[in-house]
Structure formats: structure tokens, C-alpha cells
């Protein structure tokens, strides 16, 4: 069964460093998302991406964040200058929509630790 | 803006018992989703509820949706240990974008 994959599974970085989190969505999906979950808290929406552009972003997704779909398969989240409060689990998700009842399929997540 | 609330936040129940998790949402939501999350793991889709009165069942879990009351429930029948997890409901208020707004989650622990 197709699944969303993410790399790395765990990333440790120093405050102020740039990180890139990578995702490979399910191949026939057209909508892509990033969410994050701070330890013990609920899942929060960051950004949605469709047709090679951001369709919606949350207040969390400030100028330090960017997303890109550099080729036909990868979807990346870049944090330019990490802060301690960026430490969280980051989930990528993808969905088809417009083709009947569906849901968002989540990847396994990348645990980001900012020291 | 859509807000989603769940209760209870924590739930310990004995094996074999029945219980219900409640999910209230503040404004119209096109769809209502239930996800399961095991510790340190990702979110596994359980149910997508599309319309008022929708009911879906999978094993010991049954989800329902009342759009007039803005309420969804996840009912657990004859709980078993394997059901121990955190359960999240989520809604979306912008059909076509499908941004999900999650509830706070219910951490369910099944005690033998």
C-alpha cells in the first residue's frame, strides 16, 4: 500500500542553523501539507501546498519557514534559522481530494530537536 | 475560525467496558476525521465522516456525526488492550483546501 515517507526520522541541530525536512508524498496525490506536534500537545497545521504554490499557511509559518516541491516526488520544509521552540515532531501529509471520500495520509514524522 | 474540542483528555478504562469520546466543533465543518496515534508514531486514519447522521464502524470502534449539534462521537465497545492510544478528531472548514484542525486528543489507556 502506498505511503508517505519522511527523512530524516530524527534531526538534531543547533539554534540558528538551517534545517530541511524531506517528504515523499503518495504518488497520485495533489495536495501536500506540513503539520507539527510539540511533545504531548495537539497536531497543528503549518502549510498546505497545491499546484506548486502555497494555498494556505498558519501564523506559525512565518518568514523563517518555506516549502518547495523541487521535483515530481519530493516535498520539503525548510526552517532557515531554527529556534528552541521549533523543537517538535513534523509530519508531512498528502491527499487526493475531488475523487470521493478521502483523508489525509500522514508520514511517520521527523523529530526535530533544537539545542 | 474552526475550533475543535475533545473530551475527556484522559481516559482509563477496563478491558471489556464500553466508552465514548466526544468531539465538539465550533463552526461548520465539511468533514470530520478520526485518527489514532500510538506513542512516538504517526497518525493513522480511522474514519472520515461526510454528512449528518453518518455512522462508520471498524471492529470495536464506531464513529458518528451530528452536524446540527456539531458533535462527533467515537464509541469503543468491549475495549481491549490493543486500543490503548491517543485518539484525535479533526475537522476542516475550507472544502477544497482540506486544512485539518485537530482536537486536543484523548489519551486512552485500557487496563487489563
Amino acid at each position: 500500500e502506498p505511503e508517505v515517507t519522511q527523512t530524516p526520522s530524527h534531526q538534531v541541530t543547533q539554534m540558528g542553523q538551517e534545517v530541511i525536512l524531506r517528504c515523499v508524498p503518495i504518488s497520485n496525490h495533489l495536495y501536500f501539507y506540513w503539520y507539527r506536534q510539540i511533545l504531548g500537545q495537539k497536531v497543528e497545521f503549518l502549510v498546505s501546498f497545491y499546484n506548486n504554490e502555497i494555498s494556505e499557511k498558519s501564523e506559525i509559518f512565518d518568514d523563517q519557514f518555506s516549502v518547495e516541491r523541487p521535483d515530481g516526488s519530493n516535498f520539503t520544509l525548510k526552517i532557515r534559522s531554527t529556534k528552541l521552540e521549533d523543537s517538535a515532531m513534523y509530519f508531512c501529509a498528502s491527499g487526493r481530494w475531488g475523487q470521493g471520500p478521502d483523508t489525509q495520509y500522514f508520514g511517520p514524522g521527523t523529530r526535530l530537536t533544537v539545542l | 475560525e474552526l475550533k475543535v474540542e475533545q473530551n475527556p483528555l484522559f481516559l482509563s478504562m477496563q478491558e471489556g467496558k464500553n466508552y465514548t469520546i466526544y468531539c465538539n466543533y465550533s463552526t461548520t465543518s465539511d468533514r470530520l476525521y478520526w485518527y489514532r496515534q500510538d506513542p512516538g508514531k504517526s497518525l493513522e486514519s480511522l474514519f472520515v465522516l461526510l454528512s449528518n447522521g453518518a455512522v462508520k464502524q471498524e471492529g470495536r470502534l464506531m464513529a458518528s456525526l451530528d452536524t446540527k449539534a456539531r458533535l462527533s462521537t467515537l464509541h469503543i465497545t468491549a475495549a481491549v488492550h490493543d486500543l490503548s492510544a491517543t485518539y484525535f478528531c479533526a475537522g476542516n472548514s475550507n472544502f477544497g483546501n482540506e486544512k485539518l484542525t485537530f482536537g486536543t486528543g484523548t489519551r486512552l489507556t485500557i487496563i487489563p
Side-chain angles (χ1 to χ4, degrees):
Chain A
E1 185 175 329
E3 57 184 22
V4 178
T5 60
Q6 289 184 244
T7 54
S9 57
H10 191 187
Q11 173 98 43
V12 180
T13 189
Q14 296 289 327
M15 190 169 57
Q17 295 296 304
E18 174 183 287
V19 295
I20 297 176
L21 310 183
R22 301 179 192 280
C23 167
V24 179
I26 294 173
S27 62
N28 63 345
H29 286 185
L30 301 177
Y31 295 81
F32 313 114
Y33 308 84
W34 284 100
Y35 293 83
R36 80 172 185 189
Q37 185 180 33
I38 295 171
L39 186 63
Q41 298 187 22
K42 67 178 179 180
V43 179
E44 300 174 289
F45 168 79
L46 291 178
V47 65
S48 57
F49 192 86
Y50 170 71
N51 201 25
N52 286 321
E53 61 182 21
I54 291 173
S55 47
E56 188 169 353
K57 59 184 180 180
S58 72
E59 291 178 353
I60 303 168
F61 195 90
D62 61 21
D63 292 345
Q64 293 301 312
F65 291 85
S66 62
V67 289
E68 194 176 36
R69 188 155 163 83
D71 53 42
S73 60
N74 290 283
F75 180 50
T76 62
L77 174 70
K78 182 193 291 187
I79 309 174
R80 288 190 184 80
S81 178
T82 50
K83 306 182 185 69
L84 295 176
E85 53 264 37
D86 293 328
S87 294
M89 182 74 94
Y90 288 80
F91 292 107
C92 172
S94 69
R96 291 181 300 177
W97 316 123
Q99 299 178 26
D102 210 336
T103 188
Q104 289 183 25
Y105 297 88
F106 283 75
T110 293
R111 181 168 297 283
L112 177 65
T113 303
V114 182
L115 302 175
Chain B
E1 184 179 330
L2 176 64
K3 291 187 182 354
V4 180
E5 293 183 355
Q6 284 179 244
N7 68 83
L9 297 182
F10 299 94
L11 177 58
S12 286
M13 47 189 295
Q14 288 187 313
E15 279 190 328
K17 299 291 187 183
N18 304 333
Y19 210 81
T20 301
I21 299 170
Y22 298 89
C23 174
N24 292 89
Y25 54 97
S26 60
T27 63
T28 301
S29 180
D30 292 304
R31 304 179 185 186
L32 198 292
Y33 304 79
W34 285 95
Y35 284 88
R36 167 183 171 145
Q37 185 180 42
D38 292 299
K41 302 292 186 182
S42 187
L43 294 135
E44 174 192 355
S45 176
L46 296 174
F47 301 107
V48 182
L49 302 168
L50 300 179
S51 59
N52 190 41
V55 177
K56 289 196 174 179
Q57 182 161 7
E58 181 74 33
R60 301 175 188 272
L61 300 178
M62 183 174 71
S64 65
L65 179 62
D66 181 345
T67 56
K68 293 178 182 174
R70 294 179 183 162
L71 171 68
S72 180
T73 61
L74 180 66
H75 187 72
I76 302 144
T77 302
V80 294
H81 180 70
D82 287 353
L83 292 178
S84 295
T86 298
Y87 292 85
F88 289 96
C89 65
N92 74 290
S93 57
N94 184 10
F95 184 72
N97 176 26
E98 311 298 343
K99 156 194 165 183
L100 294 183
T101 300
F102 282 83
T104 48
T106 296
R107 184 175 295 182
L108 174 65
T109 304
I110 309 297
I111 303 166

